[in-house]
Amino acid sequence: MQEPSLLPINVLTGFLGSGKTTLLNRWVHQTSMRNTLVVINEFGDIGLDHQLLTHSDEQAVIEMSSGCLCCTLRGDLSRTLQEALEDIAAQDKPLPSRVVIETTGLAEPTSLLQLLMTDHWLAHRFRLDSVVCCVDAANGVATLEAHRESQHQVAVADKLLITKTDLASEETVSRLANQLAKLNPAAEQWQVINGELSADLLVGSGLYRTDTQGYQVEQWLKASSYALHQAETPSSAFSAPLKNSTMSPHRSSDHSHHSSNIKAFCFSVNEPIKPEALENWLDILMSLMGDKMLRIKAVVHLTDRETPLALHGVQHIFHPPAPLPANSVHDRVSRFVFITQNVAPETVAELYTFFNSSKEVEE
C-alpha cells in the first residue's frame, strides 16, 4: 500500500484579504511547524515577515526560527519542490516531514489538487493531507456572492477558518458560518482572531494519519455530515430512478441564491458494486460533467474484492484507487461524496441506476 509512505501536503487557500499570510506569520514560529517546508507564492500581495524571508533567487530555502523551512513558488510547483528538496539535502538538513502550500487569493484550488494527481514526480512523492481555507468574517458573505473562486475554495476545503471575527458582529459571523455550512457541510469551522490558532489544525484530514499510523476512513469521508444537512425533499423525488436501486441519496441544504449552483451531497450503495458498472458510471460522469465535479471522495466495496477501495477525484482526474484494510470500515456500504457545480444529485443517481441496471439486464 503506497499511500502512507508519501509526504503529506497541506494546502492553505482563501480569497484576497482573508488572512492567510497573517496565519502563516504566526504558524512559522510554532514548534509544531518544525521540519515543515512552507511554499508561498511569490506573487502574493504580502509576503511573510521580511526579516524571516526574502524573495531572492539565490536563496531558495530559508530556515525559520521554529526549524521549519520556507521557499517561494516560481510558477512550476514540481520544479520548485524538486529544487527545494535538493537545496535542503545540499545543506545537510533533514528532509521535511510535511509541506504547506499557500495559494494566491485568486487561485482555483482544484487546479492545484489536479496537479498533485497528474504530475508524475509529485504523485509518486506526495499525498494530499488537507485543504484549509480562510474566510474573512466581515466580507466573506459578499465575497462568496461575487467571486466563483471563493466559492470553490470553500467548497473543496476540509477545514474552514473564519478570520477577523473581532471586526464583525456576532450576527455577521453567524450568517457567514451558516452560509459556509450550506456550501460545505462536512468541513470543520474554526474562528480566528489575529491569526492566533494552532498550526496543528493544518494536519490530520487525510485518509492516512501519520501520527497514528492508521487509516481514518470515516473522518476523511464524513458522509454522515451530508445526511445531517440534507434538504427536505418530496418522497417521490428519487422514486422513479431509484425504485429498484439500493442507492440512497442525501443532499445538503441549499437556500441561498448565490450558492445554488454548488451542491454537496452523498450517496450510499448497500450492496457490493460490479467493477464494470462503477467504471462505466464514473467514466460517463467525468466525460460529460468532469469540469463540474469539484471534488469526489468515496469508499467503495466491489463484488470482486473482499476489502474496500478509497477513491479521490478532482474534476476529470482520479487518483489511482487506494486499497484499504478490511478493519478500516465497519460495514460493506459504499459511500460517495460529491461536491459539484451545476450538477443535480438526481442526475448522478439516474446515471448510476442506468449502468447498474443495464449490466443486470445483460446478464
Side-chain angles (χ1 to χ4, degrees), residues 62 143 154 233 239:
I62 295 178
T143 300
V154 168
T233 308
S239 60

Side-chain angles (χ1 to χ4, degrees), residues 129-160:
D129 181 47
S130 69
V131 179
V132 178
C133 177
C134 296
V135 185
D136 179 354
N139 302 309
V141 171
T143 300
L144 288 169
E145 183 87 34
H147 299 281
R148 185 186 69 170
E149 297 91 346
S150 177
Q151 294 180 24
H152 287 188
Q153 290 165 359
V154 168
V156 303
D158 299 295
K159 299 180 182 180
L160 296 169

